[in-house]
Amino acid sequence: DEQYHLVHKQYHPTYRDILYARNYYDIFFFDLGGNLIYSVYKELDYATNFLADGPGEWKDSGLGKAFRAAVANPDGINVIDWEPYGPSYGALASFLSTGVRRAGELIGVFCTQLPPEFTPRNSSARLETGTQEMNK
């Protein structure tokens, strides 16, 4: 829809730049209904649902685990260990996730997908820095 395209045009370059600077494989945003509403690369998982009891094909994947971990622990950095991820052609992926708040209220989930060549040292510190950059 038109509203989505206007917002996408405004923010996509920033998220894409963060992805390149941090060497993430992808960056995702979910609404609290488990819907994947933003992805830099928009692979097969884009616009699908990740609720545990939802209809989404990828709900049991690492990204699904990352979404649910961030809803359960929105103020922490949640680390989902390496496993093959179908929408990325079965490549190994690890996910970092955290809650997104507006005026103190949880409104969604921010998640990054780490590529197989990523060095896991300080992963949560990198996510913390990335989220701080986006909030500027």
Side-chain angles (χ1 to χ4, degrees):
D1 91 348
E2 187 175 333
Q3 176 71 23
Y4 178 87
H5 292 295
L6 289 172
V7 172
H8 185 273
K9 184 177 180 180
Q10 179 181 358
Y11 292 105
H12 181 70
T14 299
Y15 298 133
R16 188 183 56 228
D17 289 348
I18 291 169
L19 178 137
Y20 292 145
R22 301 268 177 229
N23 193 33
Y24 295 145
Y25 185 92
D26 208 343
I27 292 175
F28 309 97
F29 283 98
F30 293 89
D31 66 17
L32 291 180
N35 300 303
L36 182 55
I37 59 173
Y38 176 80
S39 164
V40 171
Y41 285 117
K42 295 166 186 66
E43 293 183 323
L44 296 172
D45 49 9
Y46 176 65
T48 62
N49 187 274
F50 286 81
L51 285 178
D53 60 352
E57 180 177 358
W58 312 108
K59 66 184 177 185
D60 296 322
S61 68
L63 186 55
K65 294 172 190 173
F67 165 73
R68 290 187 295 281
V71 170
N73 179 30
D75 298 318
I77 305 296
N78 304 284
V79 180
I80 304 304
D81 208 0
W82 299 94
E83 61 183 65
Y85 186 57
S88 298
Y89 308 100
L92 285 178
S94 176
F95 297 91
L96 305 176
S97 64
T98 192
V100 176
R101 294 185 181 275
R102 180 177 22 192
E105 179 185 351
L106 184 64
I107 61 167
V109 168
F110 171 81
C111 185
T112 61
Q113 179 180 347
L114 306 178
E117 66 275 6
F118 195 86
T119 303
R121 286 183 304 236
N122 301 321
S123 297
S124 17
R126 288 182 179 197
L127 178 61
E128 182 82 24
T129 303
T131 55
Q132 288 171 357
E133 287 176 13
M134 289 188 298
N135 290 326
K136 287 182 181 178

